[in-house]
Amino acid sequence: MKKLLSAVIFAVITVIPVKAEPVTMMVLAPVALKVANDASPHVIFGMRSSGGQLLEVAKDIGNILRLPWGAVQATAGAPFGYFNDGMSNIWTGVCAPFQLVTDIILLPFAFFGGF
């Protein structure tokens, strides 16, 4: 828990722009390196676990495009036997935005390795 807290503090501190003198940076560089070494396993774990969740988001975005494709299949492709495939694609395209919202809500938990 202590390492995770130091990783979060390190991430917040690195975002804030600081105007420091070179002497101050020389004094604080060893401390920053120690914190970075302590935080690196947690950062790598968070990046690894969030990568899978980002792929799920990309898949859901792609599934949204199955709605218009299914409409084309169900109407123009019906005489050629594509009606059932079109209805399946329409249903997948209708469900995709809800899955996308769910995956985006779960994304911050994935960044911190919540699941």
Side-chain angles (χ1 to χ4, degrees), residues 26-46:
M26 282 186 354
V27 170
L28 293 178
V31 175
L33 287 174
K34 184 178 182 306
V35 170
N37 282 337
D38 291 344
S40 65
H42 301 289
V43 171
I44 291 170
F45 177 75

Side-chain angles (χ1 to χ4, degrees), residues 6-73:
S6 64
V8 171
I9 290 172
F10 178 71
V12 170
I13 288 174
T14 56
V15 173
I16 301 170
V18 179
K19 296 182 180 178
E21 297 180 12
V23 175
T24 307
M25 289 191 291
M26 282 186 354
V27 170
L28 293 178
V31 175
L33 287 174
K34 184 178 182 306
V35 170
N37 282 337
D38 291 344
S40 65
H42 301 289
V43 171
I44 291 170
F45 177 75
M47 290 170 67
R48 197 177 302 147
S49 63
S50 65
Q53 190 67 23
L54 285 172
L55 288 175
E56 288 291 323
V57 169
K59 183 187 74 150
D60 293 337
I61 290 172
N63 281 343
I64 291 174
L65 297 175
R66 290 176 72 174
L67 178 62
W69 177 244
V72 169
Q73 279 182 326

